[in-house]
Amino acid sequence: GAVVSQHPSWVICKSGTSVKIECRSLDFQATTMFWYRQFPKQSLMLMATSNEGSKATYEQGVEKDKFLINHASLTLSTLTVTSAHPEDSSFYICSARDRTANYGYTFGSGTRLTVV
Amino acid sequence: AQTVTQSQPEMSVQEAETVTLSCTYDTSESDYYLFWYKQPPSRQMILVIRQEAYKQQNATENRFSVNFQKAAKSFSLKISDSQLGDAAMYFCAYRSAGGKLIFGQGTTLQVKP
């Protein structure tokens, strides 16, 4: 079945640095990628939607200058957390829509970000 | 805007028994999709079942079935013959016309041996 590879699975970074998270669709073309943030034992909150070759659409309240999303190809989308702070520590998950699977959603395995 | 509500933060079921997880949603759209996802401790999201709103027949996948009440905007998940591996957090989700998935708050299911 469709697979989305998300890396890294966990990362620890110092406050003020930037971190990049990658999501790659391995066997299908992901025209649309969604990025979520999840706090422990809470729901997935949609941060932004990215379409290949165009600017991402951010949800209300999400700082687009802090969470930079790039979807330069049909198989790769990246989320960069810029100037990270401890409050950015969270679990980030990507999800891609697969046209070949009736637009089903395939999720990455998530990235646990800890900012110290 | 669409909303999804799961009013049961935690549920518990005895192994081999049946449990029902509740979900309600609010929307003005007439055509949409509803999903139940499972998130085990690994935190990998796993699709459990999906329902197209235009279909009156309730979806079924092996031990998992839904009770879809469109007029009441209710979409509950029934797990039959519960197994230890069913223990996880379950999320109800709504797919809007724009393709975004909107998740409920989640229900943590505990399966007792």
Side-chain angles (χ1 to χ4, degrees):
Chain A
V3 175
V4 171
S5 176
Q6 183 170 348
H7 291 281
S9 56
W10 60 271
V11 58
I12 301 173
C13 71
K14 291 185 177 180
S15 188
T17 62
S18 295
V19 174
K20 180 183 284 188
I21 300 169
E22 287 191 355
C23 275
R24 195 179 296 272
S25 56
L26 298 186
D27 47 6
F28 68 100
Q29 293 181 334
T31 53
T32 304
M33 192 78 79
F34 303 92
W35 287 92
Y36 296 88
R37 182 174 182 174
Q38 185 182 31
F39 291 105
K41 296 189 182 294
Q42 293 189 25
S43 185
L44 281 74
M45 301 304 297
L46 180 65
M47 299 175 65
T49 303
S50 72
N51 292 293
E52 184 266 335
S54 61
K55 290 184 178 180
T57 301
Y58 291 81
E59 295 298 303
Q60 192 172 7
V62 177
E63 298 176 62
K64 60 182 180 182
D65 293 332
K66 174 172 236 353
F67 300 100
L68 300 180
I69 291 172
N70 185 283
H71 195 161
S73 78
L74 285 172
T75 60
L76 176 65
S77 179
T78 60
L79 166 67
T80 301
V81 183
T82 63
S83 186
H85 290 285
E87 57 264 31
D88 298 325
S89 298
S90 190
F91 191 70
Y92 294 88
I93 308 175
C94 64
S95 174
R97 292 190 72 187
D98 180 6
R99 287 184 300 180
T100 62
N102 195 21
Y103 289 98
Y105 297 86
T106 301
F107 287 81
S109 53
T111 298
R112 182 182 302 281
L113 169 64
T114 301
V115 184
V116 298
Chain B
Q2 296 85 13
T3 58
V4 179
T5 302
Q6 293 177 250
S7 58
Q8 306 156 314
E10 296 179 352
M11 290 286 283
S12 179
V13 63
Q14 206 71 33
E15 193 176 6
E17 297 295 307
T18 296
V19 65
T20 298
L21 308 184
S22 302
C23 172
T24 58
Y25 59 95
D26 189 26
T27 184
S28 58
E29 297 175 337
S30 58
D31 191 20
Y32 49 87
Y33 288 76
L34 295 164
F35 304 82
W36 277 98
Y37 282 92
K38 170 185 178 181
Q39 189 180 43
S42 68
R43 303 190 80 170
Q44 175 70 57
M45 296 292 285
I46 301 167
L47 176 64
V48 175
I49 201 165
R50 134 180 150 167
Q51 174 81 43
E52 291 91 334
Y54 64 86
K55 289 187 177 179
Q56 293 186 339
Q57 187 173 7
N58 290 323
T60 299
E61 287 287 342
N62 300 315
R63 298 183 294 107
F64 299 88
S65 62
V66 298
N67 183 2
F68 173 49
Q69 301 290 327
K70 191 173 183 179
K73 295 179 182 174
S74 170
F75 183 60
S76 60
L77 174 69
K78 185 171 82 171
I79 306 175
S80 304
D81 185 25
S82 296
Q83 300 175 0
L84 294 177
D86 294 335
M89 196 159 187
Y90 286 81
F91 291 98
C92 177
Y94 173 101
R95 191 189 89 181
S96 68
K100 295 190 292 188
L101 274 183
I102 301 164
F103 289 89
Q105 301 90 328
T107 297
T108 299
L109 177 65
Q110 180 185 26
V111 181
K112 297 179 179 178

